[in-house]
PDB file of all heavy atoms in Angstrom:
ATOM      1  N   LEU A   1       0.825  -1.209   0.000  1.00 98.00           N
ATOM      2  CA  LEU A   1       0.000   0.000   0.000  1.00 98.00           C
ATOM      3  C   LEU A   1       0.862   1.262   0.000  1.00 98.00           C
ATOM      4  O   LEU A   1       0.520   2.261  -0.646  1.00 98.00           O
ATOM      5  CB  LEU A   1      -0.941  -0.006   1.202  1.00 98.00           C
ATOM      6  CG  LEU A   1      -2.106  -0.990   1.153  1.00 98.00           C
ATOM      7  CD1 LEU A   1      -2.865  -0.997   2.470  1.00 98.00           C
ATOM      8  CD2 LEU A   1      -3.054  -0.652   0.002  1.00 98.00           C
ATOM      9  N   ILE A   2       1.987   1.228   0.704  1.00 97.00           N
ATOM     10  CA  ILE A   2       2.900   2.366   0.703  1.00 97.00           C
ATOM     11  C   ILE A   2       3.446   2.610  -0.700  1.00 97.00           C
ATOM     12  O   ILE A   2       3.501   3.754  -1.176  1.00 97.00           O
ATOM     13  CB  ILE A   2       4.046   2.142   1.706  1.00 97.00           C
ATOM     14  CG1 ILE A   2       3.531   2.273   3.141  1.00 97.00           C
ATOM     15  CG2 ILE A   2       5.186   3.137   1.462  1.00 97.00           C
ATOM     16  CD1 ILE A   2       4.557   1.912   4.204  1.00 97.00           C
ATOM     17  N   ALA A   3       3.820   1.533  -1.381  1.00 96.00           N
ATOM     18  CA  ALA A   3       4.339   1.676  -2.744  1.00 96.00           C
ATOM     19  C   ALA A   3       3.288   2.262  -3.679  1.00 96.00           C
ATOM     20  O   ALA A   3       3.583   3.125  -4.518  1.00 96.00           O
ATOM     21  CB  ALA A   3       4.810   0.317  -3.265  1.00 96.00           C
ATOM     22  N   ILE A   4       2.050   1.821  -3.518  1.00 96.00           N
ATOM     23  CA  ILE A   4       0.957   2.342  -4.341  1.00 96.00           C
ATOM     24  C   ILE A   4       0.702   3.816  -4.015  1.00 96.00           C
ATOM     25  O   ILE A   4       0.506   4.649  -4.905  1.00 96.00           O
ATOM     26  CB  ILE A   4      -0.324   1.517  -4.111  1.00 96.00           C
ATOM     27  CG1 ILE A   4      -0.154   0.099  -4.660  1.00 96.00           C
ATOM     28  CG2 ILE A   4      -1.529   2.196  -4.765  1.00 96.00           C
ATOM     29  CD1 ILE A   4      -1.268  -0.845  -4.279  1.00 96.00           C
ATOM     30  N   GLY A   5       0.727   4.127  -2.714  1.00 95.00           N
ATOM     31  CA  GLY A   5       0.454   5.496  -2.289  1.00 95.00           C
ATOM     32  C   GLY A   5       1.532   6.482  -2.686  1.00 95.00           C
ATOM     33  O   GLY A   5       1.289   7.688  -2.743  1.00 95.00           O
ATOM     34  N   GLY A   6       2.720   5.973  -2.980  1.00 90.00           N
ATOM     35  CA  GLY A   6       3.799   6.857  -3.367  1.00 90.00           C
ATOM     36  C   GLY A   6       3.666   7.399  -4.772  1.00 90.00           C
ATOM     37  O   GLY A   6       4.359   8.346  -5.156  1.00 90.00           O
ATOM     38  N   SER A   7       2.761   6.822  -5.552  1.00 85.00           N
ATOM     39  CA  SER A   7       2.534   7.309  -6.909  1.00 85.00           C
ATOM     40  C   SER A   7       1.217   8.078  -6.963  1.00 85.00           C
ATOM     41  O   SER A   7       0.267   7.747  -6.253  1.00 85.00           O
ATOM     42  CB  SER A   7       2.485   6.135  -7.892  1.00 85.00           C
ATOM     43  OG  SER A   7       1.440   5.238  -7.557  1.00 85.00           O
ATOM     44  N   ASN A   8       1.182   9.090  -7.778  1.00 81.00           N
ATOM     45  CA  ASN A   8      -0.028   9.907  -7.986  1.00 81.00           C
ATOM     46  C   ASN A   8      -0.509  10.607  -6.717  1.00 81.00           C
ATOM     47  O   ASN A   8      -1.696  10.916  -6.581  1.00 81.00           O
ATOM     48  CB  ASN A   8      -1.173   9.040  -8.543  1.00 81.00           C
ATOM     49  CG  ASN A   8      -0.825   8.410  -9.872  1.00 81.00           C
ATOM     50  OD1 ASN A   8      -0.280   9.073 -10.755  1.00 81.00           O
ATOM     51  ND2 ASN A   8      -1.123   7.123 -10.008  1.00 81.00           N
ATOM     52  N   ALA A   9       0.412  10.860  -5.806  1.00 90.00           N
ATOM     53  CA  ALA A   9       0.036  11.563  -4.577  1.00 90.00           C
ATOM     54  C   ALA A   9      -0.077  13.062  -4.837  1.00 90.00           C
ATOM     55  O   ALA A   9       0.617  13.619  -5.694  1.00 90.00           O
ATOM     56  CB  ALA A   9       1.059  11.294  -3.489  1.00 90.00           C
ATOM     57  N   LYS A  10      -0.941  13.695  -4.091  1.00 91.00           N
ATOM     58  CA  LYS A  10      -1.129  15.140  -4.191  1.00 91.00           C
ATOM     59  C   LYS A  10      -1.345  15.694  -2.789  1.00 91.00           C
ATOM     60  O   LYS A  10      -1.640  14.941  -1.851  1.00 91.00           O
ATOM     61  CB  LYS A  10      -2.330  15.460  -5.082  1.00 91.00           C
ATOM     62  CG  LYS A  10      -3.645  14.911  -4.558  1.00 91.00           C
ATOM     63  CD  LYS A  10      -4.803  15.246  -5.490  1.00 91.00           C
ATOM     64  CE  LYS A  10      -6.135  14.730  -4.918  1.00 91.00           C
ATOM     65  NZ  LYS A  10      -7.270  15.062  -5.799  1.00 91.00           N
ATOM     66  N   PRO A  11      -1.212  17.009  -2.614  1.00 86.00           N
ATOM     67  CA  PRO A  11      -1.433  17.578  -1.277  1.00 86.00           C
ATOM     68  C   PRO A  11      -2.839  17.277  -0.762  1.00 86.00           C
ATOM     69  O   PRO A  11      -3.816  17.343  -1.511  1.00 86.00           O
ATOM     70  CB  PRO A  11      -1.231  19.081  -1.507  1.00 86.00           C
ATOM     71  CG  PRO A  11      -0.358  19.169  -2.717  1.00 86.00           C
ATOM     72  CD  PRO A  11      -0.767  18.021  -3.591  1.00 86.00           C
ATOM     73  N   SER A  12      -2.923  16.910   0.511  1.00 88.00           N
ATOM     74  CA  SER A  12      -4.224  16.634   1.113  1.00 88.00           C
ATOM     75  C   SER A  12      -5.037  17.915   1.263  1.00 88.00           C
ATOM     76  O   SER A  12      -4.485  19.004   1.453  1.00 88.00           O
ATOM     77  CB  SER A  12      -4.038  15.990   2.491  1.00 88.00           C
ATOM     78  OG  SER A  12      -3.344  14.770   2.398  1.00 88.00           O
ATOM     79  N   GLU A  13      -6.345  17.760   1.177  1.00 81.00           N
ATOM     80  CA  GLU A  13      -7.260  18.885   1.325  1.00 81.00           C
ATOM     81  C   GLU A  13      -8.314  18.561   2.371  1.00 81.00           C
ATOM     82  O   GLU A  13      -8.456  17.413   2.796  1.00 81.00           O
ATOM     83  CB  GLU A  13      -7.947  19.203  -0.018  1.00 81.00           C
ATOM     84  CG  GLU A  13      -6.981  19.617  -1.118  1.00 81.00           C
ATOM     85  CD  GLU A  13      -7.687  19.897  -2.436  1.00 81.00           C
ATOM     86  OE1 GLU A  13      -8.787  19.332  -2.648  1.00 81.00           O
ATOM     87  OE2 GLU A  13      -7.157  20.676  -3.240  1.00 81.00           O
ATOM     88  N   VAL A  14      -9.044  19.573   2.792  1.00 80.00           N
ATOM     89  CA  VAL A  14     -10.207  19.384   3.655  1.00 80.00           C
ATOM     90  C   VAL A  14     -11.432  19.897   2.903  1.00 80.00           C
ATOM     91  O   VAL A  14     -11.322  20.711   1.981  1.00 80.00           O
ATOM     92  CB  VAL A  14     -10.059  20.120   5.001  1.00 80.00           C
ATOM     93  CG1 VAL A  14      -8.872  19.582   5.779  1.00 80.00           C
ATOM     94  CG2 VAL A  14      -9.912  21.627   4.794  1.00 80.00           C
ATOM     95  N   VAL A  15     -12.601  19.395   3.298  1.00 74.00           N
ATOM     96  CA  VAL A  15     -13.851  19.792   2.651  1.00 74.00           C
ATOM     97  C   VAL A  15     -14.619  20.712   3.570  1.00 74.00           C
ATOM     98  O   VAL A  15     -14.874  20.377   4.734  1.00 74.00           O
ATOM     99  CB  VAL A  15     -14.720  18.561   2.311  1.00 74.00           C
ATOM    100  CG1 VAL A  15     -16.035  18.996   1.676  1.00 74.00           C
ATOM    101  CG2 VAL A  15     -13.972  17.624   1.379  1.00 74.00           C
ATOM    102  N   ASP A  16     -14.988  21.891   3.067  1.00 66.00           N
ATOM    103  CA  ASP A  16     -15.827  22.815   3.831  1.00 66.00           C
ATOM    104  C   ASP A  16     -17.239  22.233   3.930  1.00 66.00           C
ATOM    105  O   ASP A  16     -17.856  21.923   2.912  1.00 66.00           O
ATOM    106  CB  ASP A  16     -15.867  24.184   3.150  1.00 66.00           C
ATOM    107  CG  ASP A  16     -16.615  25.210   3.970  1.00 66.00           C
ATOM    108  OD1 ASP A  16     -17.866  25.206   3.917  1.00 66.00           O
ATOM    109  OD2 ASP A  16     -15.972  26.011   4.658  1.00 66.00           O
ATOM    110  N   GLY A  17     -17.719  22.059   5.157  1.00 61.00           N
ATOM    111  CA  GLY A  17     -19.009  21.420   5.370  1.00 61.00           C
ATOM    112  C   GLY A  17     -20.199  22.216   4.883  1.00 61.00           C
ATOM    113  O   GLY A  17     -21.293  21.663   4.724  1.00 61.00           O
ATOM    114  N   VAL A  18     -20.013  23.518   4.645  1.00 60.00           N
ATOM    115  CA  VAL A  18     -21.120  24.365   4.201  1.00 60.00           C
ATOM    116  C   VAL A  18     -21.092  24.548   2.687  1.00 60.00           C
ATOM    117  O   VAL A  18     -22.079  24.312   1.984  1.00 60.00           O
ATOM    118  CB  VAL A  18     -21.075  25.745   4.903  1.00 60.00           C
ATOM    119  CG1 VAL A  18     -22.197  26.637   4.368  1.00 60.00           C
ATOM    120  CG2 VAL A  18     -21.211  25.573   6.401  1.00 60.00           C
ATOM    121  N   SER A  19     -19.928  24.941   2.150  1.00 60.00           N
ATOM    122  CA  SER A  19     -19.824  25.221   0.712  1.00 60.00           C
ATOM    123  C   SER A  19     -19.524  23.975  -0.110  1.00 60.00           C
ATOM    124  O   SER A  19     -19.710  23.982  -1.329  1.00 60.00           O
ATOM    125  CB  SER A  19     -18.734  26.263   0.464  1.00 60.00           C
ATOM    126  OG  SER A  19     -17.456  25.736   0.785  1.00 60.00           O
ATOM    127  N   ASP A  20     -19.039  22.910   0.547  1.00 64.00           N
ATOM    128  CA  ASP A  20     -18.658  21.658  -0.121  1.00 64.00           C
ATOM    129  C   ASP A  20     -17.419  21.844  -0.989  1.00 64.00           C
ATOM    130  O   ASP A  20     -17.144  21.029  -1.869  1.00 64.00           O
ATOM    131  CB  ASP A  20     -19.820  21.105  -0.960  1.00 64.00           C
ATOM    132  CG  ASP A  20     -19.746  19.590  -1.149  1.00 64.00           C
ATOM    133  OD1 ASP A  20     -19.148  18.926  -0.288  1.00 64.00           O
ATOM    134  OD2 ASP A  20     -20.281  19.090  -2.143  1.00 64.00           O
ATOM    135  N   VAL A  21     -16.651  22.899  -0.737  1.00 69.00           N
ATOM    136  CA  VAL A  21     -15.439  23.187  -1.497  1.00 69.00           C
ATOM    137  C   VAL A  21     -14.233  22.572  -0.781  1.00 69.00           C
ATOM    138  O   VAL A  21     -14.099  22.681   0.437  1.00 69.00           O
ATOM    139  CB  VAL A  21     -15.237  24.707  -1.650  1.00 69.00           C
ATOM    140  CG1 VAL A  21     -13.885  25.008  -2.291  1.00 69.00           C
ATOM    141  CG2 VAL A  21     -16.359  25.305  -2.480  1.00 69.00           C
ATOM    142  N   SER A  22     -13.351  21.916  -1.551  1.00 75.00           N
ATOM    143  CA  SER A  22     -12.127  21.348  -1.000  1.00 75.00           C
ATOM    144  C   SER A  22     -10.994  22.360  -1.123  1.00 75.00           C
ATOM    145  O   SER A  22     -10.889  23.066  -2.126  1.00 75.00           O
ATOM    146  CB  SER A  22     -11.749  20.062  -1.739  1.00 75.00           C
ATOM    147  OG  SER A  22     -12.740  19.077  -1.591  1.00 75.00           O
ATOM    148  N   TYR A  23     -10.128  22.423  -0.115  1.00 66.00           N
ATOM    149  CA  TYR A  23      -9.029  23.379  -0.154  1.00 66.00           C
ATOM    150  C   TYR A  23      -7.877  22.885   0.731  1.00 66.00           C
ATOM    151  O   TYR A  23      -8.073  22.088   1.655  1.00 66.00           O
ATOM    152  CB  TYR A  23      -9.490  24.760   0.325  1.00 66.00           C
ATOM    153  CG  TYR A  23     -10.029  24.770   1.751  1.00 66.00           C
ATOM    154  CD1 TYR A  23      -9.211  25.088   2.838  1.00 66.00           C
ATOM    155  CD2 TYR A  23     -11.353  24.444   2.005  1.00 66.00           C
ATOM    156  CE1 TYR A  23      -9.701  25.093   4.127  1.00 66.00           C
ATOM    157  CE2 TYR A  23     -11.861  24.445   3.303  1.00 66.00           C
ATOM    158  CZ  TYR A  23     -11.026  24.768   4.350  1.00 66.00           C
ATOM    159  OH  TYR A  23     -11.520  24.758   5.644  1.00 66.00           O
ATOM    160  N   GLU A  24      -6.669  23.342   0.419  1.00 77.00           N
ATOM    161  CA  GLU A  24      -5.506  23.027   1.227  1.00 77.00           C
ATOM    162  C   GLU A  24      -5.470  23.948   2.444  1.00 77.00           C
ATOM    163  O   GLU A  24      -5.918  25.093   2.388  1.00 77.00           O
ATOM    164  CB  GLU A  24      -4.229  23.193   0.416  1.00 77.00           C
ATOM    165  CG  GLU A  24      -4.080  22.202  -0.732  1.00 77.00           C
ATOM    166  CD  GLU A  24      -2.790  22.408  -1.505  1.00 77.00           C
ATOM    167  OE1 GLU A  24      -1.770  22.757  -0.874  1.00 77.00           O
ATOM    168  OE2 GLU A  24      -2.800  22.235  -2.736  1.00 77.00           O
ATOM    169  N   THR A  25      -4.926  23.435   3.548  1.00 77.00           N
ATOM    170  CA  THR A  25      -4.828  24.223   4.773  1.00 77.00           C
ATOM    171  C   THR A  25      -3.593  23.804   5.544  1.00 77.00           C
ATOM    172  O   THR A  25      -3.159  22.635   5.457  1.00 77.00           O
ATOM    173  CB  THR A  25      -6.075  24.033   5.661  1.00 77.00           C
ATOM    174  OG1 THR A  25      -5.854  24.641   6.938  1.00 77.00           O
ATOM    175  CG2 THR A  25      -6.392  22.563   5.877  1.00 77.00           C
ATOM    176  N   SER A  26      -3.022  24.735   6.293  1.00 74.00           N
ATOM    177  CA  SER A  26      -1.832  24.431   7.087  1.00 74.00           C
ATOM    178  C   SER A  26      -2.145  23.447   8.206  1.00 74.00           C
ATOM    179  O   SER A  26      -1.235  22.846   8.787  1.00 74.00           O
ATOM    180  CB  SER A  26      -1.252  25.724   7.681  1.00 74.00           C
ATOM    181  OG  SER A  26      -2.207  26.359   8.515  1.00 74.00           O
ATOM    182  N   GLY A  27      -3.426  23.272   8.520  1.00 84.00           N
ATOM    183  CA  GLY A  27      -3.821  22.332   9.561  1.00 84.00           C
ATOM    184  C   GLY A  27      -3.802  20.880   9.110  1.00 84.00           C
ATOM    185  O   GLY A  27      -3.961  19.972   9.935  1.00 84.00           O
ATOM    186  N   ARG A  28      -3.613  20.647   7.813  1.00 86.00           N
ATOM    187  CA  ARG A  28      -3.511  19.289   7.300  1.00 86.00           C
ATOM    188  C   ARG A  28      -2.322  19.229   6.364  1.00 86.00           C
ATOM    189  O   ARG A  28      -2.413  19.610   5.193  1.00 86.00           O
ATOM    190  CB  ARG A  28      -4.794  18.864   6.589  1.00 86.00           C
ATOM    191  CG  ARG A  28      -4.794  17.377   6.242  1.00 86.00           C
ATOM    192  CD  ARG A  28      -6.052  16.925   5.524  1.00 86.00           C
ATOM    193  NE  ARG A  28      -6.065  15.461   5.435  1.00 86.00           N
ATOM    194  CZ  ARG A  28      -6.929  14.753   4.702  1.00 86.00           C
ATOM    195  NH1 ARG A  28      -7.867  15.376   3.999  1.00 86.00           N
ATOM    196  NH2 ARG A  28      -6.861  13.447   4.682  1.00 86.00           N
ATOM    197  N   ARG A  29      -1.207  18.733   6.871  1.00 88.00           N
ATOM    198  CA  ARG A  29       0.033  18.697   6.100  1.00 88.00           C
ATOM    199  C   ARG A  29       0.407  17.245   5.806  1.00 88.00           C
ATOM    200  O   ARG A  29       0.996  16.557   6.638  1.00 88.00           O
ATOM    201  CB  ARG A  29       1.151  19.406   6.856  1.00 88.00           C
ATOM    202  CG  ARG A  29       0.970  20.924   6.886  1.00 88.00           C
ATOM    203  CD  ARG A  29       2.092  21.602   7.620  1.00 88.00           C
ATOM    204  NE  ARG A  29       1.990  21.390   9.062  1.00 88.00           N
ATOM    205  CZ  ARG A  29       2.937  21.739   9.938  1.00 88.00           C
ATOM    206  NH1 ARG A  29       4.068  22.267   9.512  1.00 88.00           N
ATOM    207  NH2 ARG A  29       2.759  21.539  11.228  1.00 88.00           N
ATOM    208  N   SER A  30       0.025  16.802   4.620  1.00 92.00           N
ATOM    209  CA  SER A  30       0.315  15.444   4.172  1.00 92.00           C
ATOM    210  C   SER A  30       0.049  15.375   2.684  1.00 92.00           C
ATOM    211  O   SER A  30      -0.431  16.337   2.082  1.00 92.00           O
ATOM    212  CB  SER A  30      -0.565  14.423   4.904  1.00 92.00           C
ATOM    213  OG  SER A  30      -1.939  14.648   4.625  1.00 92.00           O
ATOM    214  N   THR A  31       0.368  14.239   2.081  1.00 94.00           N
ATOM    215  CA  THR A  31      -0.058  13.972   0.714  1.00 94.00           C
ATOM    216  C   THR A  31      -1.008  12.788   0.731  1.00 94.00           C
ATOM    217  O   THR A  31      -1.007  11.975   1.658  1.00 94.00           O
ATOM    218  CB  THR A  31       1.138  13.671  -0.211  1.00 94.00           C
ATOM    219  OG1 THR A  31       1.848  12.524   0.284  1.00 94.00           O
ATOM    220  CG2 THR A  31       2.073  14.858  -0.289  1.00 94.00           C
ATOM    221  N   VAL A  32      -1.831  12.690  -0.315  1.00 95.00           N
ATOM    222  CA  VAL A  32      -2.851  11.645  -0.363  1.00 95.00           C
ATOM    223  C   VAL A  32      -2.933  11.069  -1.767  1.00 95.00           C
ATOM    224  O   VAL A  32      -2.765  11.784  -2.760  1.00 95.00           O
ATOM    225  CB  VAL A  32      -4.228  12.201   0.075  1.00 95.00           C
ATOM    226  CG1 VAL A  32      -4.680  13.341  -0.835  1.00 95.00           C
ATOM    227  CG2 VAL A  32      -5.275  11.104   0.137  1.00 95.00           C
ATOM    228  N   ALA A  33      -3.162   9.774  -1.839  1.00 95.00           N
ATOM    229  CA  ALA A  33      -3.433   9.095  -3.100  1.00 95.00           C
ATOM    230  C   ALA A  33      -4.684   8.263  -2.922  1.00 95.00           C
ATOM    231  O   ALA A  33      -4.909   7.683  -1.856  1.00 95.00           O
ATOM    232  CB  ALA A  33      -2.260   8.208  -3.506  1.00 95.00           C
ATOM    233  N   SER A  34      -5.525   8.225  -3.940  1.00 94.00           N
ATOM    234  CA  SER A  34      -6.754   7.425  -3.920  1.00 94.00           C
ATOM    235  C   SER A  34      -6.676   6.390  -5.031  1.00 94.00           C
ATOM    236  O   SER A  34      -7.204   6.595  -6.127  1.00 94.00           O
ATOM    237  CB  SER A  34      -7.989   8.324  -4.088  1.00 94.00           C
ATOM    238  OG  SER A  34      -8.084   9.255  -3.032  1.00 94.00           O
ATOM    239  N   PRO A  35      -6.024   5.260  -4.781  1.00 93.00           N
ATOM    240  CA  PRO A  35      -5.811   4.261  -5.841  1.00 93.00           C
ATOM    241  C   PRO A  35      -7.126   3.658  -6.318  1.00 93.00           C
ATOM    242  O   PRO A  35      -8.045   3.416  -5.528  1.00 93.00           O
ATOM    243  CB  PRO A  35      -4.942   3.197  -5.151  1.00 93.00           C
ATOM    244  CG  PRO A  35      -4.402   3.856  -3.917  1.00 93.00           C
ATOM    245  CD  PRO A  35      -5.423   4.851  -3.507  1.00 93.00           C
ATOM    246  N   ALA A  36      -7.218   3.403  -7.616  1.00 92.00           N
ATOM    247  CA  ALA A  36      -8.423   2.824  -8.202  1.00 92.00           C
ATOM    248  C   ALA A  36      -8.567   1.368  -7.775  1.00 92.00           C
ATOM    249  O   ALA A  36      -7.623   0.585  -7.884  1.00 92.00           O
ATOM    250  CB  ALA A  36      -8.378   2.923  -9.727  1.00 92.00           C
ATOM    251  N   VAL A  37      -9.753   1.028  -7.297  1.00 93.00           N
ATOM    252  CA  VAL A  37      -9.989  -0.325  -6.798  1.00 93.00           C
ATOM    253  C   VAL A  37      -9.865  -1.366  -7.892  1.00 93.00           C
ATOM    254  O   VAL A  37      -9.460  -2.509  -7.635  1.00 93.00           O
ATOM    255  CB  VAL A  37     -11.375  -0.398  -6.110  1.00 93.00           C
ATOM    256  CG1 VAL A  37     -12.483  -0.208  -7.127  1.00 93.00           C
ATOM    257  CG2 VAL A  37     -11.544  -1.706  -5.362  1.00 93.00           C
ATOM    258  N   ASP A  38     -10.177  -1.002  -9.137  1.00 93.00           N
ATOM    259  CA  ASP A  38     -10.111  -1.956 -10.238  1.00 93.00           C
ATOM    260  C   ASP A  38      -8.701  -2.111 -10.815  1.00 93.00           C
ATOM    261  O   ASP A  38      -8.456  -2.963 -11.660  1.00 93.00           O
ATOM    262  CB  ASP A  38     -11.090  -1.571 -11.345  1.00 93.00           C
ATOM    263  CG  ASP A  38     -10.875  -0.164 -11.877  1.00 93.00           C
ATOM    264  OD1 ASP A  38     -10.061   0.567 -11.300  1.00 93.00           O
ATOM    265  OD2 ASP A  38     -11.534   0.198 -12.867  1.00 93.00           O
ATOM    266  N   ARG A  39      -7.768  -1.312 -10.331  1.00 95.00           N
ATOM    267  CA  ARG A  39      -6.380  -1.381 -10.823  1.00 95.00           C
ATOM    268  C   ARG A  39      -5.467  -2.160  -9.880  1.00 95.00           C
ATOM    269  O   ARG A  39      -4.501  -2.775 -10.320  1.00 95.00           O
ATOM    270  CB  ARG A  39      -5.839   0.036 -11.032  1.00 95.00           C
ATOM    271  CG  ARG A  39      -4.435   0.073 -11.604  1.00 95.00           C
ATOM    272  CD  ARG A  39      -3.982   1.493 -11.866  1.00 95.00           C
ATOM    273  NE  ARG A  39      -2.618   1.537 -12.382  1.00 95.00           N
ATOM    274  CZ  ARG A  39      -1.937   2.651 -12.615  1.00 95.00           C
ATOM    275  NH1 ARG A  39      -2.506   3.837 -12.398  1.00 95.00           N
ATOM    276  NH2 ARG A  39      -0.696   2.594 -13.062  1.00 95.00           N
ATOM    277  N   TYR A  40      -5.800  -2.127  -8.598  1.00 96.00           N
ATOM    278  CA  TYR A  40      -4.949  -2.752  -7.599  1.00 96.00           C
ATOM    279  C   TYR A  40      -5.743  -3.778  -6.794  1.00 96.00           C
ATOM    280  O   TYR A  40      -6.601  -3.412  -5.976  1.00 96.00           O
ATOM    281  CB  TYR A  40      -4.374  -1.699  -6.649  1.00 96.00           C
ATOM    282  CG  TYR A  40      -3.534  -0.641  -7.327  1.00 96.00           C
ATOM    283  CD1 TYR A  40      -4.069   0.620  -7.601  1.00 96.00           C
ATOM    284  CD2 TYR A  40      -2.220  -0.907  -7.693  1.00 96.00           C
ATOM    285  CE1 TYR A  40      -3.293   1.592  -8.217  1.00 96.00           C
ATOM    286  CE2 TYR A  40      -1.446   0.058  -8.308  1.00 96.00           C
ATOM    287  CZ  TYR A  40      -1.992   1.308  -8.576  1.00 96.00           C
ATOM    288  OH  TYR A  40      -1.226   2.260  -9.183  1.00 96.00           O
ATOM    289  N   PRO A  41      -5.478  -5.065  -6.987  1.00 97.00           N
ATOM    290  CA  PRO A  41      -6.220  -6.109  -6.265  1.00 97.00           C
ATOM    291  C   PRO A  41      -6.154  -5.966  -4.746  1.00 97.00           C
ATOM    292  O   PRO A  41      -7.121  -6.311  -4.055  1.00 97.00           O
ATOM    293  CB  PRO A  41      -5.532  -7.401  -6.729  1.00 97.00           C
ATOM    294  CG  PRO A  41      -4.973  -7.072  -8.072  1.00 97.00           C
ATOM    295  CD  PRO A  41      -4.553  -5.640  -7.982  1.00 97.00           C
ATOM    296  N   ILE A  42      -5.047  -5.435  -4.219  1.00 97.00           N
ATOM    297  CA  ILE A  42      -4.920  -5.287  -2.772  1.00 97.00           C
ATOM    298  C   ILE A  42      -5.983  -4.334  -2.223  1.00 97.00           C
ATOM    299  O   ILE A  42      -6.492  -4.529  -1.112  1.00 97.00           O
ATOM    300  CB  ILE A  42      -3.498  -4.788  -2.391  1.00 97.00           C
ATOM    301  CG1 ILE A  42      -3.337  -4.698  -0.878  1.00 97.00           C
ATOM    302  CG2 ILE A  42      -3.203  -3.448  -3.031  1.00 97.00           C
ATOM    303  CD1 ILE A  42      -3.482  -5.987  -0.130  1.00 97.00           C
ATOM    304  N   ILE A  43      -6.353  -3.304  -2.989  1.00 97.00           N
ATOM    305  CA  ILE A  43      -7.362  -2.354  -2.539  1.00 97.00           C
ATOM    306  C   ILE A  43      -8.712  -3.061  -2.418  1.00 97.00           C
ATOM    307  O   ILE A  43      -9.424  -2.911  -1.411  1.00 97.00           O
ATOM    308  CB  ILE A  43      -7.483  -1.154  -3.504  1.00 97.00           C
ATOM    309  CG1 ILE A  43      -6.126  -0.471  -3.696  1.00 97.00           C
ATOM    310  CG2 ILE A  43      -8.522  -0.168  -2.991  1.00 97.00           C
ATOM    311  CD1 ILE A  43      -5.542   0.101  -2.434  1.00 97.00           C
ATOM    312  N   LYS A  44      -9.051  -3.850  -3.410  1.00 97.00           N
ATOM    313  CA  LYS A  44     -10.300  -4.600  -3.376  1.00 97.00           C
ATOM    314  C   LYS A  44     -10.336  -5.568  -2.203  1.00 97.00           C
ATOM    315  O   LYS A  44     -11.362  -5.709  -1.520  1.00 97.00           O
ATOM    316  CB  LYS A  44     -10.486  -5.366  -4.691  1.00 97.00           C
ATOM    317  CG  LYS A  44     -11.808  -6.099  -4.810  1.00 97.00           C
ATOM    318  CD  LYS A  44     -11.955  -6.737  -6.183  1.00 97.00           C
ATOM    319  CE  LYS A  44     -13.314  -7.431  -6.309  1.00 97.00           C
ATOM    320  NZ  LYS A  44     -13.484  -8.032  -7.670  1.00 97.00           N
TER     321      LYS A  44
END
């Protein structure tokens, strides 16, 4: 999973509960990847 997460990672965002807009913030400092379930058997 670490190897998969190391590719296609982007800065993590948070979702505003009122506007539904995603944005970067200093309160969340990480990168995130959302691997496709149909591409990686381990995810499934």
Side-chain angles (χ1 to χ4, degrees):
L1 288 174
I2 288 173
I4 292 170
S7 60
N8 300 315
K10 61 181 182 179
S12 299
E13 298 179 335
V14 298
V15 178
D16 185 280
V18 177
S19 67
D20 206 26
V21 173
S22 298
Y23 60 94
E24 294 180 36
T25 171
S26 60
R28 189 180 189 190
R29 288 181 287 171
S30 62
T31 59
V32 60
S34 299
V37 67
D38 56 353
R39 183 177 178 185
Y40 300 101
I42 183 62
I43 305 298
K44 184 175 182 178

